[in-house]
């Protein structure tokens, strides 16, 4: 993720001298990650031999179940329901958070006024608010979307603020001395500098939002991947559970990589460090 | 026997897409005498650092032979102390004193001797009262002094210095050069000093090795600097040597730029 | 860090203003809205007194023990695994994809499997916390090892250091702030996970308290539980921040 120039590739780490180099070709083979996954599937198969499918489904049983779920619309509906909540909540939460974050970064007084709020709420896990969300919004869509909004808001606001704080003064001065006014400075320097931070905030908030939505759907919903997992428990359909878990992992990974790719593109190859504590 | 010998050394790094790139140095031959102060001088990108990296043993040459006191270099070792260009080789989590003591600790020196040695070296590099400080609390010049002390704590046969003063301001640099000469006069280890600063080479070196412009660089000339120390930068014979070397370097750079 | 420089007197006005604004808004809202939906400060204070003399400490204690057990076990696996993956290319390439994938599975999604495998007791909750912890700690420790500054390794090698010295003197200290950063994030996630898990299957713990209070519409109790959670999260986070700063973790990147 960082330039490898000044950093040690791991090959140099434990090799005391260059005389023990022959390890390298094995490690650099493109097949190695697949061997790793292969070993995992093998172990999974061996363990599953000892258990019934209702306790520990085998890889084959899982694949068969995945095929069954894909053949009817059920899996798509649940996935769609979860993703819809996630994206709606994320869009709303970010839309609220970005102006607040800019306000906090640009104006000292706003920052100081917001601090007690952010410092307090970011340590309350979103899922703990599910009880209020249910009381306030009922068990419909709005309670789940509310939780994601909450989740996204603090992470995105705090990372936006950090981005504004990290704008390089000399870049602003450069634009000013080229004849740019406040608006030019904002558009040409502040915004492009902050966008990668906003995206990093969104990326970090995304992982938590997945966890939140799954919990919320387990506790109170009749659709979504969390609901699918929890309802499968009643019929001991552990194969369905495993399919849903793997799907969640894949979706989370995909979302992370999309945000990373976007951030890198917009930041010229640089991925800013984020503050992951924002709720 | 020489302190170090390069015999027709070549070093090529893999290119961007794995295809072989032109070598950084090729047919590089050089002998460094015992106890001499040798400066390797050349335009930027000519492979000076590559030569040092190979003698330090951090990387292996792709062809040729490198000897240290007659034995082939097999890897890094305590007999060749390395002083790096930047300050990133100091451990930020250790104080100046503990950074100096890294070598003695690696070599399992008795504790009372360690402390004694650390104090002596801190005094030698003029940082007697700064041993408890962390690298981030020290200035650039102080950090390079710590690097020098850290290497001397190991009593190496040879100091390999990779543009150690390049990042310092002109005043500090001149001061560090004087002190290096003073320390070297006392310790009398062999020094291989890399620089792209002609004046620095002339103030410090017994002999100066001039490199060709890269790639596939090698030694072009070796000049002896027979002037008493401490040297005066405005000494007419030093100035005329300076002009002579500048002329050669300009030729090298122009020659490289003339290439297609 | 930059906030630490501010004087208390400068902070009093904006902080006081915000708190005053929030509390009055809160009081106002609770008078307009059914207090069952939105309890006012007085209701919450009474709930606090009731809980403080009753079960609050017990619930908090149960949740904390679960978190700490799982967190320590997870770190005990994650740190050595991260060191191995960072230091040995073959191991990294074997496991990187797998660990990276598992990192994105929300731990709470494992709850059904956890209950089937380990029952409804403590073991399933500890398992979920281990799952929340282990991958984050592994990945961040690995990052720390992988991004060790090359010249530091070279410097000790040129002092005669062997592989063990390089590990002990350079790699391990370089990895510590990264490992701590992973642990800090993992701790935050562990709180989320344990609350969810206790809401779903438990008869004790803060999550249970929340769920139980919801079922009986004791909204004052819910507020108290939320504040307790916030304070616990804040305290543990501070501990990790202090530790990271102590070990020179200024350059740490969150992965």
């Amino acid at each position: 993720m960082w330039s490898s120039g000044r950093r040690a590739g791991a090959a140099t780490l434990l090799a005391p001298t260059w005389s023990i180099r022959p390890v390298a070709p094995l490690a650099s083979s493109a097949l190695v990650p697949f061997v790793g996954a292969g070993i995992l599937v093998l172990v999974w198969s061996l363990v599953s031999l000892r258990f019934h499918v209702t306790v520990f489904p085998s890889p084959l049983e899982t694949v068969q179940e995945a095929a069954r779920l894909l053949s009817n619309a059920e899996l798509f509906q649940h996935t769609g329901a979860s993703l819809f909540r996630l994206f709606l909540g994320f869009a709303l939460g970010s839309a609220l958070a970005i102006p607040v974050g800019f306000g906090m970064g640009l104006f000292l007084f706003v920052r100081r006024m917001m601090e007690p709020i952010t410092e307090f709420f970011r340590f309350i896990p979103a899922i703990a608010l599910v009880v209020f969300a249910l009381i306030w919004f009922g068990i419909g869509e709005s309670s789940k979307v509310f939780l994601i909004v909450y989740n996204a808001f603090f992470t995105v606001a705090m990372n936006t603020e950090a981005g504004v704080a990290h704008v390089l003064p000399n870049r602003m001065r450069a634009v000013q001395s080229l004849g740019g006014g406040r608006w030019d400075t904002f558009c040409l320097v502040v915004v492009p500098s902050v966008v990668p931070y906003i995206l990093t905030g969104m990326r970090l908030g995304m992982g938590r939002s997945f966890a939140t939505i799954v919990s919320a759907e387990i506790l109170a919903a009749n659709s979504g991947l969390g609901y699918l997992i929890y309802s499968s428990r009643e019929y001991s359909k552990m194969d369905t559970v495993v399919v849903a878990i793997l799907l969640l992992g894949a979706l989370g990974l995909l979302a992370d990589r999309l945000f990373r790719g976007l951030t890198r593109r917009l930041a010229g190859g640089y991925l800013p460090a984020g503050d992951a504590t924002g709720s | 026997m020489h302190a170090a010998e390069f015999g027709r050394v070549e070093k090529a790094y893999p290119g961007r897409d794995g295809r072989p790139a032109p070598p950084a140095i090729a047919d590089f031959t050089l002998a460094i005498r015992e106890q001499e102060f040798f400066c390797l001088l050349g335009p930027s990108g000519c492979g000076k650092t590559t030569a040092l990296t190979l003698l330090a043993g951090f990387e292996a040459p792709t062809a040729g032979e490198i000897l240290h006191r007659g034995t082939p270099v097999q890897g890094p070792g305590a007999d060749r102390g390395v002083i790096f260009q930047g300050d990133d080789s100091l451990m930020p989590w250790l104080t100046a004193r503990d950074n100096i003591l890294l070598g003695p600790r690696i070599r399992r020196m008795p504790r009372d001797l360690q402390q004694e040695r650390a104090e002596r070296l801190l005094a030698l590099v003029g940082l007697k009262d700064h041993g408890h400080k962390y690298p981030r609390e020290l200035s650039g010049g102080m950090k390079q002094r710590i690097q020098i002390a850290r290497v001397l704590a190991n009593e190496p046969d040879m100091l390999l210095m990779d543009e150690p003063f390049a990042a310092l301001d002109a005043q500090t640099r001149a001061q560090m050069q004087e002190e290096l000469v003073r320390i070297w006069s006392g310790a009398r280890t062999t020094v291989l000093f890399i620089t792209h600063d002609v004046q620095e080479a002339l103030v410090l070196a017994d002999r100066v090795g001039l490199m060709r412009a890269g790639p596939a660089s090698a030694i072009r000339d070796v000049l002896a600097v027979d002037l008493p120390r401490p040297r005066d930068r405005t000494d007419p014979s030093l100035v005329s040597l300076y002009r002579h070397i500048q002329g050669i370097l300009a030729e090298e750079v122009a020659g490289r730029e003339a290439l297609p | 860090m930059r906030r630490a420089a501010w004087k208390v007197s400068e902070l009093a006005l904006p902080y006081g203003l915000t708190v005053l604004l929030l509390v009055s808004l809160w009081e106002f809202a609770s008078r307009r809205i059914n207090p069952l939906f939105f309890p006012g400060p007085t209701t919450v204070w009474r709930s606090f007194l009731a809980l403080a003399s009753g079960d609050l400490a017990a619930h908090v204690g149960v949740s904390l023990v679960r978190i700490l057990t799982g967190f320590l076990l997870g770190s005990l696996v994650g740190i050595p695994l991260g060191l191995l993956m960072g230091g040995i290319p073959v191991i990294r390439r074997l496991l990187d994809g797998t660990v990276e994938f598992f990192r994105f599975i929300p731990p709470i999604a494992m709850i059904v499997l956890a209950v089937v495998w380990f029952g409804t007791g403590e073991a399933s909750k500890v398992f979920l916390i281990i799952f929340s912890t282990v991958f984050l700690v592994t990945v961040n420790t690995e990052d720390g090892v992988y991004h060790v500054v090359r010249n530091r390794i070279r410097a000790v090698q040129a002092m005669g250091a062997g592989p063990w010295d390089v590990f002990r003197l350079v790699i391990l200290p370089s990895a510590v702030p990264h490992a701590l950063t992973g642990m800090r994030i993992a701790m935050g996630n562990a709180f989320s996970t344990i609350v969810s898990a206790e809401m779903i299957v438990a008869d004790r713990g803060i999550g249970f308290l929340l769920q139980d209070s919801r079922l009986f519409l004791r909204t004052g109790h819910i507020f108290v539980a939320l504040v307790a959670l916030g304070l616990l999260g804040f305290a543990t986070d501070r501990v990790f921040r202090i530790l990271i700063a102590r070990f020179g973790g200024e350059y740490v990147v969150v992965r």
Side-chain angles (χ1 to χ4, degrees):
Chain A
M1 81 203 251
W2 292 84
S3 68
S4 53
R6 269 178 64 247
R7 309 292 181 164
T12 29
L13 295 190
L14 294 176
T17 68
W18 30 264
S19 53
I20 57 162
R21 189 166 280 185
V23 194
L26 175 61
S28 58
S29 160
L31 290 173
V32 175
F34 296 100
V35 175
I39 293 173
L40 187 80
V41 171
L42 193 72
V43 172
W44 177 8
S45 311
L46 289 175
V47 175
S48 66
L49 284 179
R50 301 206 45 194
F51 297 99
H52 192 253
V53 62
T54 55
V55 176
F56 202 105
S58 72
L60 187 66
E61 284 156 351
T62 306
V63 170
Q64 282 167 346
E65 176 64 9
R68 189 188 71 78
L69 284 168
L70 285 172
S71 65
N72 59 39
E74 212 187 345
L75 190 63
F76 287 110
Q77 279 166 5
H78 289 303
T79 311
S82 293
L83 288 181
F84 171 75
R85 290 161 186 156
L86 266 171
F87 283 110
L88 188 59
F90 229 78
L92 282 173
S94 305
L96 284 171
I98 292 169
V100 173
F102 266 104
M104 289 174 75
L106 291 172
F107 307 107
L108 204 62
F109 199 77
V110 177
R111 178 157 78 222
R112 287 180 184 172
M113 277 197 67
M114 283 299 292
E115 242 164 35
I117 301 176
T118 52
E119 287 294 310
F120 180 73
F121 281 103
R122 70 203 189 95
F123 292 107
I124 296 180
I127 195 58
L129 288 181
V130 76
V131 284
F132 268 122
L134 291 175
I135 291 172
W136 293 340
F137 301 105
I139 61 161
E141 288 305 299
S142 39
S143 58
K144 273 128 239 154
V145 174
F146 165 77
L147 290 179
I148 302 304
V149 169
Y150 175 87
N151 225 332
F153 179 81
F154 289 103
T155 321
V156 174
M158 287 176 51
N159 280 282
T160 308
E161 185 209 338
V164 176
H166 281 105
V167 175
L168 296 180
N170 276 353
R171 292 211 183 121
M172 294 198 271
R173 287 181 186 150
V175 170
Q176 283 160 3
S177 68
L178 290 170
R182 298 188 124 218
W183 179 245
D184 296 304
T185 319
F186 185 76
C187 294
L188 294 171
V189 183
V190 178
V191 170
S193 307
V194 177
V195 164
Y197 282 84
I198 294 175
L199 288 172
T200 299
M202 293 173 85
R203 175 170 68 84
L204 295 171
M206 193 50 105
R208 275 150 209 252
S209 296
F210 269 94
T212 306
I213 203 67
V214 171
S215 312
E217 287 168 351
I218 288 177
L219 282 162
N222 42 33
S223 65
L225 287 170
Y227 168 79
L228 178 65
I229 287 176
Y230 207 57
S231 58
S232 305
R233 164 197 60 120
E234 284 167 39
Y235 313 101
S236 288
K237 291 283 294 170
M238 289 310 125
D239 44 0
T240 314
V241 171
V242 173
V243 171
I245 288 172
L246 294 179
L247 184 58
L248 277 167
L251 289 172
L253 184 65
L254 189 70
D256 183 86
R257 291 298 125 101
L258 278 175
F259 273 108
R260 266 175 210 244
L262 204 58
T263 313
R264 278 222 187 84
R265 259 193 94 97
L266 291 171
Y270 161 71
L271 200 62
D275 189 333
T277 41
S279 181
Chain B
M1 190 172 55
H2 283 101
E5 284 169 89
F6 291 79
R8 310 204 63 177
V9 170
E10 181 205 83
K11 176 68 185 176
Y13 293 98
R16 227 164 222 290
D17 37 16
R19 279 181 300 178
I25 55 174
D27 210 5
F28 184 95
T29 299
L30 173 68
I32 299 167
R33 297 170 192 151
E34 286 284 356
Q35 301 195 337
E36 86 170 323
F37 201 121
F38 192 94
C39 273
L40 202 50
L41 182 67
S44 58
C46 76
K48 304 183 293 280
T49 300
T50 304
L52 180 136
T53 306
L54 297 178
L55 179 54
F58 297 137
E59 287 164 7
T62 39
E65 191 182 34
I66 301 169
L67 302 177
H68 168 63
R69 294 194 150 176
T71 32
V73 170
Q74 293 287 356
D79 46 6
R80 283 148 293 141
V82 181
I83 290 153
F84 298 89
Q85 179 177 354
D87 55 13
D88 68 350
S89 76
L90 290 175
M91 313 295 157
W93 54 85
L94 295 180
T95 59
R97 182 179 285 106
D98 286 334
N99 264 292
I100 293 175
L101 285 176
L102 270 171
R105 285 194 180 140
I106 289 167
R107 289 142 60 92
R108 311 263 185 279
M109 181 189 275
R111 284 202 177 259
D112 43 334
L113 288 182
Q114 281 184 16
Q115 285 312 319
E116 185 268 326
R117 179 161 294 194
E119 295 317 314
R120 187 165 54 77
L121 285 164
L122 279 167
L124 179 72
V125 296
L127 292 176
K128 215 183 225 166
D129 302 323
H130 301 278
H132 62 284
K133 289 186 180 164
Y134 286 91
R136 64 172 179 276
E137 301 170 295
L138 300 171
S139 69
M142 287 159 124
K143 282 190 271 201
Q144 291 313 74
R145 286 163 201 253
I146 296 297
Q147 272 210 67
I148 292 171
R150 181 169 80 172
V151 163
L152 291 176
N154 253 358
E155 297 177 328
D157 315 326
M158 196 166 183
L159 290 182
L160 308 179
M161 310 181 79
D162 185 8
E163 303 201 36
F165 309 143
L168 305 179
D169 63 86
Q171 252 71 48
T172 315
R173 189 188 309 180
Q175 195 187 345
M176 292 292 293
Q177 288 163 357
E178 270 174 42
E179 289 201 31
L180 178 61
V181 168
R182 174 178 61 80
I183 291 168
W184 168 75
S185 310
R188 278 286 163 184
T189 52
T190 314
V191 177
L192 172 62
F193 190 104
I194 306 260
T195 182
H196 61 264
D197 178 342
V198 180
Q199 202 182 51
E200 183 169 64
L202 291 175
V203 167
L204 294 172
D206 291 319
R207 289 195 303 153
V208 177
L210 274 167
M211 285 184 78
R212 291 179 194 286
S217 178
I219 296 284
R220 177 184 160 137
D221 286 308
V222 176
L223 303 163
V225 188
D226 281 322
L227 297 169
R229 291 187 178 88
R231 290 175 185 160
D232 177 1
R233 278 154 223 266
T234 54
D235 183 319
S237 41
L238 195 145
V239 172
S240 77
L241 260 174
Y242 178 89
R243 289 217 183 91
H244 176 63
I245 293 175
Q246 279 293 14
I248 297 175
L249 286 180
E251 212 175 276
E252 279 298 329
V253 174
R256 179 175 56 180
E257 272 157 13
L259 287 175
Chain C
M1 295 300 119
R2 82 196 120 87
R3 282 161 207 165
W6 291 0
K7 290 192 196 107
V8 177
S9 57
E10 286 173 32
L11 293 173
L13 180 66
Y15 279 21
L17 209 66
T18 309
V19 172
L20 198 74
L21 209 72
L22 272 183
V23 173
S24 19
L25 201 72
W26 180 13
E27 184 66 52
F28 175 75
S30 67
R31 280 170 198 221
R32 300 293 302 264
I33 304 170
N34 184 345
L36 273 180
F37 276 38
F38 198 82
T42 34
T43 322
V44 172
W45 179 247
R46 256 182 260 128
S47 292
F48 171 71
L49 292 179
L51 276 171
S53 60
D55 301 337
L56 185 61
H59 286 304
V60 168
V62 166
S63 295
L64 271 185
V65 168
R66 286 167 180 162
I67 287 180
L68 287 179
T69 315
F71 181 75
L72 288 178
L73 288 173
S75 303
L76 228 54
V77 176
I79 292 172
L81 191 61
L83 289 173
L84 279 176
M85 286 173 68
I88 303 173
V90 182
I91 297 184
R92 180 175 59 256
R93 292 189 48 94
L94 269 175
L95 297 180
D96 219 11
T98 311
V99 170
E100 191 66 7
F101 178 78
F102 274 97
R103 185 159 81 92
F104 286 102
I105 294 177
I108 198 62
M110 299 295 290
I111 190 159
V112 170
L113 289 178
V115 169
V116 169
W117 293 344
F118 303 107
T120 54
E122 294 305 298
S124 55
K125 272 127 214 140
V126 172
F127 168 78
L128 288 177
I129 300 303
I130 295 176
F131 195 91
S132 309
T133 309
V134 70
F135 303 111
L136 268 169
V137 174
T138 304
V139 163
N140 280 283
T141 310
E142 178 199 343
D143 252 26
V145 177
Y146 190 68
H147 292 300
V148 169
V149 175
R150 189 177 64 186
N151 276 351
R152 293 196 186 128
I153 295 172
R154 289 186 164 186
V156 296
Q157 283 178 341
M159 292 172 208
W164 171 244
D165 290 315
V166 171
F167 176 77
R168 180 173 65 95
L169 296 171
V170 184
I171 293 175
L172 202 58
S174 302
V176 166
H178 290 261
L180 284 171
T181 302
M183 288 167 81
R184 174 172 156 243
I185 306 167
M187 186 54 105
N189 289 359
F191 270 97
S192 278
T193 307
I194 203 67
V195 168
S196 314
E198 286 170 350
M199 284 167 105
I200 298 164
V201 220
D203 49 13
R204 281 176 305 163
I206 302 186
F208 169 77
L209 177 63
L210 281 166
Q211 181 72 345
D212 196 48
S213 310
R214 175 176 81 95
L215 293 178
F216 293 98
L217 270 182
R218 290 197 204 111
T219 38
H221 285 43
I222 297 179
F223 260 62
V224 175
L226 288 178
V227 172
L229 255 178
L231 290 177
L232 280 177
F234 175 79
T236 46
D237 191 67
R238 267 312 114 107
V239 170
F240 274 104
R241 276 179 185 230
I242 292 166
L243 281 176
I244 292 167
R246 166 72 190 75
F247 287 101
E250 289 141 59
Y251 314 106
V252 165
V253 173
V254 174
R255 204 169 123 180

